[in-house]
Amino acid sequence: SIASELFTYVAMNVPVKFMVIKLRNHSGRPRRLSLTGYWELVLGEWRHANMMHVVTESDPYSGALFARNAYGRDWANRIVFVQVSESKHTVTGNRTEFIGRNGSLANPAALRRTHLSGKTGAGLDPCAAMQTQIELADGQEREIVFVFGAASNTEQAQHFIQQYCGTAGARQALESVWEYWKHTLGAVHMETPD
């Protein structure tokens, strides 16, 4: 009895991807849910060749999960970040923990727990996973925004998170996308008798 919609899009001028989940509770009772975003990290050409160089960390200012590959050939200093619009959330940068020993993405071990461990650092099988708990009253509707992006450095990543992580920032980015496509596809108007 939970209706859901997922909107996925990218910002027009910055390397930021949005996953906006809209949930509505039609169950007749309050519900408590968890939402989890998961991304496998490559940060290079081949996952198996780069995984030992990918380092994850939790940003102390925003709570976002950062990842970088200092040995990456093309973008050695770039930072990949993940953030969710909910202030309370847990993270992990450890794919093995998330999936579970001998597990699979079809049934990850992390979804059978109440929170993620917060384990990040070097030498892990890297991933970016973020989980948040929400409560929905009967008839309530909420939007939760997951943001995944890349930045040149920590300061730029924090700026992108501040600007885009939240329903207002995500909506503004979506309106820019709509305006771009209206302008692009609306340039020619033709009327025919058929």
Side-chain angles (χ1 to χ4, degrees):
S1 299
I2 303 291
S4 63
E5 291 180 79
L6 172 66
F7 300 91
T8 302
Y9 53 95
V10 296
M12 289 301 303
N13 300 318
V14 294
V16 176
K17 179 179 182 179
F18 300 89
M19 284 74 44
V20 180
I21 300 113
K22 186 185 288 188
L23 299 170
R24 286 183 292 288
N25 181 3
H26 301 290
S27 68
R29 61 187 173 96
R31 301 292 299 268
R32 184 176 182 156
L33 306 168
S34 66
L35 283 91
T36 306
Y38 169 82
W39 296 264
E40 287 193 14
L41 300 173
V42 177
L43 302 181
E45 295 82 18
W46 301 96
R47 179 169 169 31
H48 66 277
N50 288 295
M51 62 189 274
M52 69 181 115
H53 303 297
V54 175
V55 178
T56 56
E57 65 179 313
S58 187
D59 179 39
Y61 300 105
S62 65
L65 184 68
F66 287 173
R68 69 184 91 226
N69 178 357
Y71 296 98
R73 193 170 4 149
D74 295 324
W75 300 100
N77 296 320
R78 298 206 32 113
I79 293 178
V80 171
F81 61 89
V82 174
Q83 181 62 301
V84 66
S85 58
E86 300 297 303
S87 60
K88 292 185 179 180
H89 60 269
T90 58
V91 301
T92 186
N94 187 353
R95 182 177 177 267
T96 304
E97 170 205 331
F98 185 84
I99 294 174
R101 186 178 172 107
N102 300 321
S104 72
L105 284 175
N107 188 17
L111 297 186
R112 294 186 296 273
R113 298 187 199 115
T114 58
H115 66 282
L116 301 175
S117 72
K119 188 172 188 176
T120 59
L124 303 173
D125 183 1
C127 79
M130 189 165 282
Q131 185 177 73
T132 186
Q133 306 279 331
I134 64 162
E135 293 186 17
L136 284 174
D138 181 38
Q140 184 181 7
E141 178 178 290
R142 288 200 44 201
E143 280 188 359
I144 293 85
V145 180
F146 283 92
V147 176
F148 182 83
S152 299
N153 53 46
T154 303
E155 293 78 25
Q156 187 179 48
Q158 290 168 341
H159 173 73
F160 288 162
I161 289 165
Q162 186 177 30
Q163 183 175 1
Y164 292 109
C165 192
T167 54
R171 190 163 295 130
Q172 180 184 6
L174 182 58
E175 287 174 6
S176 296
V177 171
W178 283 338
E179 286 303 315
Y180 170 80
W181 285 109
K182 281 181 194 175
H183 176 72
T184 301
L185 299 176
V188 176
H189 178 77
M190 188 179 302
E191 291 185 30
T192 67
D194 190 7

